[in-house]
């Protein structure tokens, strides 16, 4: 389990403009993110020998990573496309770390983008919303995507007394952080009442319990910890990584209130030799507010059932015990689909480099990033550090 | 205005055909493993408990409890617009397996976690009847 500990580092990290970006296609967003990350790393594309992408919903290609390599005229020896929904980013980085640590390749460019907001026709937007769920055993019952997560929220509220106000506190914290981030899509601060008074989508989830639909791209460059010292910026080291996979369809979930984030987190902590108390800043997957509450529990920041109480009183806001989603998260920064959690990685890198201005977490040395895909189906946790450890 | 698109009518596969054949006869069928007694849904080639390949179809009691539910106010597509607000629920059958369905036959706000329910069928086409659940 310790084989990847401190073996690789992130040496470049960048986002494109996000939110409403009608002037760039999905493919162009991938390539722009890649170019920005290479510039941040201070290297040329000829120095990249591994390329990994996520699938684009808007502009899909059978061989997507090859398509981006072709477009950029990069000729990698390691080329891979990964799709595990919102868990994709971290799973990709896990693959990249394994490839680097085993000497398969030296320098991996990971680029992810999509334009779910500007790039879809009406028909494809409907398709995007209605093709989630099992074709025979779920879709006939008309569950919208927020409805799948509402099942989880309702179960958690029933089992542990979690309240709508507590769910709302997650959205409020994300928006507060977004208000300090000039790049974020939604920056106007909101209150708990604003969330509770927003339109009910699928009880108990209101409109403001749901994340955004966005355009945008992000990219990172990873290399071995040894090589990392030669790059322009201070490296950020991967101290631990772990995955957990429990189901595809929510109707088959082992539990609605405990997720495979538990296994993912335990594996990442074990590799890093660290625990929840060591984390200075957390970037947790926040497609819907209840997800954050369950992740906080499953990642060991509080006991099972205490997540609702944990997010109260500003504990998860800047200046609180565990500031999370400091860029604004999927809730308020942006959510272009698969790439969503890569913005959590770029934010964590910038936090650990101390580059976040008014939203900087003081003395941030260790960050935990968690990605979740499907309907609480695939999970990957990653612990990043300023020092190699 | 164009007519609303139709609801997603299930298309049985070779593996799921016995289930939908049961639904057509208003009978909820699940698989049972004669080797270890495990019940499972959805249908599979093997028993997920012991990997025996002798799984058999049995008629389920059709009774269960609400594991969780949501009341949908914003329909997934226009095909469901006339149903709003509707209840999407997970049901734990008395035999153990869980499945997704709609709870019908009572006002949405009456639905509760743990509520006993029983199967009822909606005939969608000549061949496809969709199992739903109503309060016992």
């Amino acid at each position: 389990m310790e084989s990847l500990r401190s073996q690789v580092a992130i040496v470049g990290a960048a986002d494109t403009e996000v939110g409403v970006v009608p002037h760039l296609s999905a493919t162009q967003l991938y390539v722009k993110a890649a170019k920005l990350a290479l510039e941040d790393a201070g290297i040329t594309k000829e120095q990249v020998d591994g390329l990994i992408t996520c699938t684009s919903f808007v502009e899909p290609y059978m061989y997507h990573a090859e398509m981006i390599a072709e477009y950029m005229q990069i000729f990698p020896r390691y080329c891979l496309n990964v799709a595990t929904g919102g868990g994709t980013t971290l799973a990709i980085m896990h693959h990249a770390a394994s490839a680097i640590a085993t000497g398969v390749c030296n320098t991996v460019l990971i680029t992810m983008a999509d334009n779910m907001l500007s790039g879809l026709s009406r028909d494809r937007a409907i398709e995007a919303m209605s093709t989630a769920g099992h074709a025979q055993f779920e879709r006939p019952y008309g569950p919208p995507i927020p409805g799948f997560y509402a099942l989880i929220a309702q179960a958690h509220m029933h089992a542990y007394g979690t309240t709508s106000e507590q769910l709302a506190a997650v959205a409020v914290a994300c928006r507060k952080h977004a208000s300090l981030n000039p790049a974020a899509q939604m920056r106007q601060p909101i209150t708990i009442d604003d969330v509770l008074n927003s339109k009910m989508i699928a009880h108990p989830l209101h409109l403001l319990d749901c994340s955004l639909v966005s355009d945008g791209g992000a990219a990172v460059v990873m290399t071995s910890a040894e090589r990392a010292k030669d790059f322009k910026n201070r490296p950020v080291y991967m101290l631990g990584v772990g995955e957990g996979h429990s189901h595809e369809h929510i109707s088959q979930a082992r539990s609605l209130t405990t997720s495979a984030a538990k296994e993912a987190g335990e594996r990442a902590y074990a590799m890093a030799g660290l625990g929840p108390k060591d984390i200075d800043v957390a970037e947790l997957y926040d497609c819907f507010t209840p997800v954050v509450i369950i992740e906080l529990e499953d990642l060991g920041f509080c006991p099972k059932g205490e997540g609702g109480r944990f997010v109260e009183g500003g504990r998860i806001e800047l200046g609180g015990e565990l500031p999370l989603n400091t860029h604004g998260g999927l809730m308020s920064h942006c959510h272009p689909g698969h790439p969503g959690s890569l913005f959590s990685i770029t934010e964590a890198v910038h936090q650990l480099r101390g580059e976040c201005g008014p939203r900087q977490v003081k003395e941030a040395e260790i960050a935990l990033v968690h990605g979740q895909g499907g309907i609480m189906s695939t999970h990957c946790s990653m612990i990043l550090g300023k020092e190699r450890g | 205005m164009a007519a609303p698109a139709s609801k997603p009518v299930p298309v049985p596969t070779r593996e799921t055909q016995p289930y939908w054949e049961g639904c057509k006869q208003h009978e909820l069928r699940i698989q049972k493993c004669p080797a270890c007694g495990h019940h499972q849904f959805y249908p599979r080639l093997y028993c997920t408990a012991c990997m025996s390949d002798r799984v058999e179809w049995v008629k389920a009691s059709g009774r269960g409890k609400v594991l969780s539910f949501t009341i949908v106010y914003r329909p997934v597509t226009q095909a469901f617009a006339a149903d709003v607000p509707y209840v999407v629920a997970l049901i734990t059958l008395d035999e153990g397996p869980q499945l997704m369905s709609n709870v019908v036959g009572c006002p949405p706000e009456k639905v509760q976690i743990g509520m006993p329910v029983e199967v009822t069928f909606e005939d969608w086409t000549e061949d496809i009847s969709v199992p739903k659940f109503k309060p016992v």
Side-chain angles (χ1 to χ4, degrees), chain A residues 151-172:
Chain A
L151 294 168
I152 292 163
Q154 192 87 265
H156 200 275
M157 291 167 116
H158 179 78
Y160 303 114
T162 309
T163 66
S164 291
E165 287 78 3
Q166 290 167 339
L167 299 183
V170 173
V172 169

Side-chain angles (χ1 to χ4, degrees), chain B residues 18-19 21-29 58-60 119 121:
Chain B
Y19 172 78
E21 186 57 40
C23 288
K24 187 178 170 183
Q25 296 167 34
H26 289 200
E27 179 179 302
L28 187 69
R29 292 178 188 167
V58 296
K59 183 183 174 187
V119 73
F121 290 87

Side-chain angles (χ1 to χ4, degrees), chain A residues 126 129-130 136-144 147-148 150-151 154-155 158 200-203 250-253 256, chain B residues 8 11-13 16 19-20 41-42 44 68-71 73-74 76-77 80 86 88 98 100-102 113 124 130-131:
Chain A
I126 290 171
M129 284 184 289
S130 63
Q136 292 180 66
F137 302 124
E138 294 185 345
R139 276 186 233 159
Y141 303 106
F148 289 116
L151 294 168
Q154 192 87 265
H158 179 78
M200 187 65 85
I201 302 293
H203 183 82
I250 190 63
S251 58
Q252 294 283 317
L256 295 178
Chain B
V11 179
T13 63
T16 65
Y19 172 78
W20 291 111
F41 180 82
Y42 49 82
R44 290 156 163 105
S68 193
F69 71 98
T70 177
I71 306 170
Y73 290 89
R74 191 177 184 283
V76 59
T77 60
F80 290 89
Y86 56 94
V88 175
Q98 64 193 38
M100 185 174 283
S101 190
N102 298 128
I113 288 178
W124 278 18
V130 175

